[in-house]
Amino acid sequence: MFAMPSPHPPEFRRRAVDLARQGDKSMVQIAKDLGISRSCLQNWVNQANADDNEASGKGGGDRLTTAEKKELAELRRRNRQLETENEILKRAAAYFARENVLPK
């Protein structure tokens, strides 16, 4: 399964966060200038804060860091794969168990 590409490249997001952190303009104005919603910009700033806090040893707080989100997505994918493999093995075991019980 492939992840959908972000509609805005990482550099665009970083620049938007930098502009918001400068405080020269309101979040609403920056978002409007960039053609995104204020809530989108706020989410990017919150995520950047969590990542920065983790990098500085303060922890990400209540929000998962970007690395943690990536790891969680990979673990969920691997879990689905293992559940599928487990189901196949259960069916195979049941099939072979029936085959051994039936008289020949």
Side-chain angles (χ1 to χ4, degrees), residues 27-87:
M27 294 273 276
V28 173
Q29 186 59 50
I30 294 168
K32 183 178 176 184
D33 292 347
L34 296 175
I36 58 175
S37 68
R38 188 211 57 80
S39 62
C40 180
L41 179 57
Q42 185 64 57
N43 284 335
W44 292 352
V45 169
N46 290 344
Q47 188 64 57
N49 289 342
D51 291 345
D52 291 349
N53 287 340
E54 182 68 23
S56 66
K58 297 177 185 174
D62 293 342
R63 189 177 193 102
L64 293 177
T65 65
T66 301
E68 289 168 333
K69 285 182 179 183
K70 185 176 180 180
E71 180 183 18
L72 180 59
E74 176 61 25
L75 290 171
R76 285 179 174 165
R77 184 200 62 76
R78 181 72 175 131
N79 190 50
R80 280 191 307 273
Q81 179 183 3
L82 290 172
E83 286 172 348
T84 300
E85 291 172 2
N86 193 31
E87 186 61 33

Side-chain angles (χ1 to χ4, degrees), residues 86-98:
N86 193 31
E87 186 61 33
I88 292 168
L89 290 172
K90 283 180 186 178
R91 290 180 185 189
Y95 173 80
F96 288 116
R98 279 195 311 270

Side-chain angles (χ1 to χ4, degrees), residues 18-29:
D18 289 344
L19 288 171
R21 286 177 171 172
Q22 286 175 3
D24 296 340
K25 294 182 181 178
S26 70
M27 294 273 276
V28 173
Q29 186 59 50

